[in-house]
Amino acid sequence: MAKQHNPYDTVLAAVEDAAKILGYSEGEYERAKYPERETVVHFPVEMDDGSVRIFTGFRVQHSTARGPAKGGIRYHQNVNIDEVKALAAWMAFKVAIANIPYGGGKGGIIVDPFTLSDKELERMTRAYTMMIAPVIGPDKDIPAPDVGTTPETMAWMADEYAKINGYYNPAIVTGKPIEIGGSEGRVEATGRGVARALMNVLKKRDMHPEDITVAIQGMGNVGSITALTLSELGVKVVAVSDVSGGIYKESGLNIKDITEYLSQNRKNLLSGYEASGIKRITNEEILLLDVDVIVPAALENQIDETNAGDIKARIVLEAANGPTTPEADAILKDRGVIIVPDIFANSGGVIVSYFEWVQNRQGYYWSEKEVNERLMYKMDKNFEDLWALSKEKNITLREAAYCIALDRIVKAANKKGRLA
Ligand code: GLU
């Protein structure tokens, strides 16, 4: 597969497309094409064997036109500035379509977290937090988990920031453990939102969950919870994968058993999972299976011009950020495949991050039922807006999502008297 695609080009293509549909002149939206600030940090960390290793990390704030920057921290060996810039921009558009009062940001460290011990991970996270402390803050830029980071990572960040700040303020990060100010339902929020997005599309198409087969690429937090929620809703999940490859069973996989196995140890992978009747497949094959829905829930650029023409699914549900390149997007559009775009489909995570931040600031905590009801209300309302605009203008759901988001960002910037 041609995986060299720069993800920031994917952002730019979507912005240009939306600006054209909205009839904007270049000067009106030019600002939205550039991040406000890019921070690069290098810092030493002591390893368990006493050696010292220098790590490189990033934090990018794409836009603060609608509120403080918001977005996750990624730990992955392939993290680079273009990826973080793209992820920060997607956050800005995601929070705008979600209609929550934030801008977009993202951070990351170039590291394979599976190669570090828990103690090394903690020291690295604390050192990184110290380095980015000047550019983050509860009213400035609020990090959260992303690929390779967890509630535990957020606990270390919050604690390190408290040392610098002089007191513990839980609103500095979201996605925290419940015990230190996390929200009920945050861990599950992205996956639950992804599943809800699919239910909404099925309703419009008069399709029923029990008749649907799904393949999910990626079994991190988002992929696992999406798989669990969909199987609880009666959907047949026939294939899942992670970095070690995938498994397939035509009659449907036992998702509960698989997720239990994976959660026993953070280093457990699907290659070590055994069950009768499962067939091993690759991460490339999983996207080409003869299923109704594919759910890319891993990294960017998984669907490009080399495989888009071979996809058999009629619905692509983007749980990952940026899984489809603009070339693939055009091919799938031509073939009439429905793409439920990332900036809407996976927005449940940041929506409940917002609820967590609101609860932290109020010092008043909601039940899981209240969190879920508010999340579902937002997913349904935002979907209706998207669907209506796509029908009205005869555009794709991605185009509709970017039109709504870009318009909100540009209008907010203009109200402040700034150039968009
Ligand atoms: N990393 C998640 C995302 O890509 C969540 C961000 C957040 O909760 O701030 O949407």
Side-chain angles (χ1 to χ4, degrees):
M1 259 191 259
K3 294 270 168 63
Q4 298 311 313
H5 187 84
N6 180 343
Y8 203 70
D9 291 338
T10 306
V11 175
L12 294 177
V15 171
E16 296 292 355
D17 196 20
K20 210 190 296 157
I21 297 167
L22 289 165
Y24 282 170
S25 65
E26 183 142 356
E28 282 179 288
Y29 70 98
E30 186 70 1
R31 184 69 187 85
K33 288 165 39 183
Y34 294 85
E36 285 177 12
R37 184 194 281 132
E38 300 171 31
T39 305
V40 185
V41 294
H42 307 282
F43 51 95
V45 178
E46 191 179 336
M47 298 288 104
D48 289 345
D49 65 3
S51 65
V52 171
R53 202 170 133 189
I54 306 291
F55 287 89
T56 298
F58 309 94
R59 185 74 191 172
V60 171
Q61 284 114 13
H62 183 82
S63 162
T64 54
R66 300 182 61 260
K70 182 85 193 81
I73 305 279
R74 177 170 294 196
Y75 290 175
H76 193 275
Q77 59 275 20
N78 296 341
V79 162
N80 60 71
I81 189 66
D82 283 327
E83 183 190 46
V84 180
K85 275 169 61 183
L87 290 163
W90 284 320
M91 285 309 303
F93 293 104
K94 190 184 305 186
V95 294
I97 177 89
N99 216 359
I100 53 180
Y102 286 140
K106 202 83 172 200
I109 302 179
I110 308 172
V111 61
D112 177 355
F114 294 105
T115 61
L116 301 190
S117 71
D118 289 354
K119 279 285 156 209
E120 288 168 339
L121 265 183
E122 177 175 347
R123 286 194 293 272
M124 183 191 71
T125 301
R126 288 183 184 277
Y128 168 70
T129 306
M130 204 180 76
M131 295 303 286
I132 63 163
V135 296
I136 61 170
D139 289 304
K140 204 169 170 183
D141 180 5
I142 307 116
D146 193 71
V147 174
T149 53
T150 61
E152 185 68 73
T153 322
M154 295 304 113
W156 296 326
M157 288 192 78
D159 187 59
E160 195 60 28
Y161 193 81
K163 288 181 194 163
I164 299 160
N165 205 30
Y167 66 95
Y168 180 68
N169 182 346
I172 177 61
V173 288
T174 61
K176 298 176 292 292
I178 304 278
E179 295 82 354
I180 59 164
S183 176
E184 297 289 347
R186 172 62 186 88
V187 168
E188 298 83 1
T190 314
R192 283 181 181 156
V194 169
R196 185 68 158 213
L198 179 60
M199 292 305 118
N200 275 313
V201 176
L202 295 186
K203 254 186 245 157
K204 295 283 180 202
R205 293 255 134 179
D206 227 357
M207 290 158 88
H208 302 281
E210 311 78 50
D211 305 330
I212 299 294
T213 55
V214 173
I216 302 177
Q217 186 202 47
M219 279 296 267
N221 166 276
V222 179
S224 308
I225 303 291
T226 301
L228 268 177
T229 312
L230 287 178
S231 54
E232 279 161 21
L233 289 164
V235 171
K236 201 194 282 178
V237 181
V238 296
V240 295
S241 71
D242 64 15
V243 281
S244 71
I247 53 178
Y248 171 75
K249 190 173 177 182
E250 202 185 339
S251 57
L253 293 164
N254 183 341
I255 297 299
K256 209 160 167 284
D257 197 49
I258 296 168
T259 48
E260 260 164 32
Y261 169 78
L262 292 176
S263 63
Q264 274 158 18
N265 182 321
R266 80 172 164 98
K267 296 190 179 177
N268 270 7
L269 292 171
L270 283 171
S271 55
Y273 176 79
E274 298 291 346
S276 70
I278 58 169
K279 198 178 140 216
R280 305 272 163 194
I281 55 171
T282 67
N283 265 304
E284 284 75 35
E285 286 165 343
I286 195 164
L287 297 175
L288 305 181
L289 289 173
D290 190 6
V291 290
D292 299 299
V293 184
I294 54 169
V295 187
L299 298 169
E300 304 88 59
N301 300 341
Q302 297 304 301
I303 306 177
D304 61 16
E305 76 278 12
T306 65
N307 61 357
D310 298 324
I311 284 173
K312 294 174 196 72
R314 304 313 295 160
I315 299 175
V316 176
L317 182 59
E318 293 187 334
N321 292 310
T324 313
T325 66
E327 295 76 23
D329 207 53
I331 296 169
L332 293 170
K333 180 180 174 181
D334 273 356
R335 297 183 50 219
V337 175
I338 297 182
I339 302 183
V340 191
D342 49 3
I343 59 168
F344 162 70
N346 71 30
S347 62
V350 75
I351 290 173
V352 176
S353 273
Y354 167 58
F355 296 161
E356 179 174 330
W357 183 79
V358 167
Q359 292 171 78
N360 291 153
R361 293 163 74 97
Q362 290 182 330
Y364 180 75
Y365 288 83
W366 313 346
S367 67
E368 187 166 359
K369 187 166 170 279
E370 281 173 276
V371 169
N372 283 342
E373 278 169 8
R374 289 177 207 237
L375 168 63
M376 295 313 162
Y377 171 79
K378 273 213 162 279
M379 291 304 298
D380 294 351
K381 162 95 178 67
N382 299 341
F383 177 77
E384 286 305 327
D385 290 349
L386 270 191
W387 191 265
L389 189 68
S390 82
K391 291 288 155 235
E392 181 197 316
K393 292 200 182 290
N394 194 23
I395 54 179
T396 65
L397 290 174
R398 190 184 320 277
E399 288 165 335
Y402 274 89
C403 282
I404 295 173
L406 183 64
D407 197 47
R408 284 181 182 154
I409 293 170
V410 167
K411 283 199 174 118
N414 289 348
K415 286 278 176 206
K416 288 178 174 172
R418 293 171 13 176
L419 289 171

